[in-house]
Amino acid sequence: MARTRPFSPAAGRGSVLRMMTAPLALNRKLVDALYIEAMILADEARSYFDVNGREERDALPALHRIGFSCESLRVTTRLMHIIAWLLTRRAVDAGEISEKQAAAPERRLGRSQGHDPEIVAALPETARQIVAAASDLYSRVERLDREMARPMRPFSPAQGLMERLQAAF
């Protein structure tokens, strides 16, 4: 199925042609919701990895304690990349920077090293939940970042009709 992008107020209201070819425009509510989720998760991760999870970490074998520390750093890095990207999107929305500036490589979502499933499996349950939540949030934001970077193909009325017919049957 062809990719269409949500209606952008900048594209002009009421025009299907503009709606189909407009660049992906993130809704401010979505950015704010993701930002709040990232900040809450960052606070939970900091609280757990720095304070509340200390006893669980200390109870692990030496090699697993190292894994615990590595995963806490990966989670923190992942969340900071997400927060920086969302702040960039807020800056675009506020008119502080342009879409072109936001598309610069240094303002795109930072790459995140994946987690080691064996190490994560050996972590306490709370640590595994935080790692999973941070990975899930990163994946969602990464999809948005990728979608925003993809060039749109020119709108073709014939192709649009074919896609609507294909979707209907």
Side-chain angles (χ1 to χ4, degrees), residues 21-98:
T21 60
L24 177 65
L26 292 181
N27 181 312
R28 175 64 189 245
K29 287 182 180 180
L30 174 62
V31 171
D32 288 345
L34 290 169
Y35 181 78
I36 289 168
E37 182 179 351
M39 292 301 288
I40 289 170
L41 186 54
D43 187 52
E44 289 174 356
R46 182 208 53 79
S47 175
Y48 176 75
F49 287 120
D50 289 349
V51 181
N52 299 336
R54 191 169 290 178
E55 287 181 23
E56 291 178 342
R57 179 190 63 213
D58 292 344
L60 294 171
L63 187 58
H64 291 218
R65 283 195 307 269
I66 293 169
F68 185 98
S69 296
C70 289
E71 286 305 320
S72 83
L73 290 172
R74 285 186 185 113
V75 164
T76 302
T77 301
R78 206 172 283 132
L79 292 171
M80 292 306 109
H81 284 315
I82 292 166
I83 291 167
W85 188 84
L86 291 167
L87 287 172
T88 297
R89 300 312 314 160
R90 282 180 155 190
V92 170
D93 188 57
E96 296 170 4
I97 64 172
S98 68

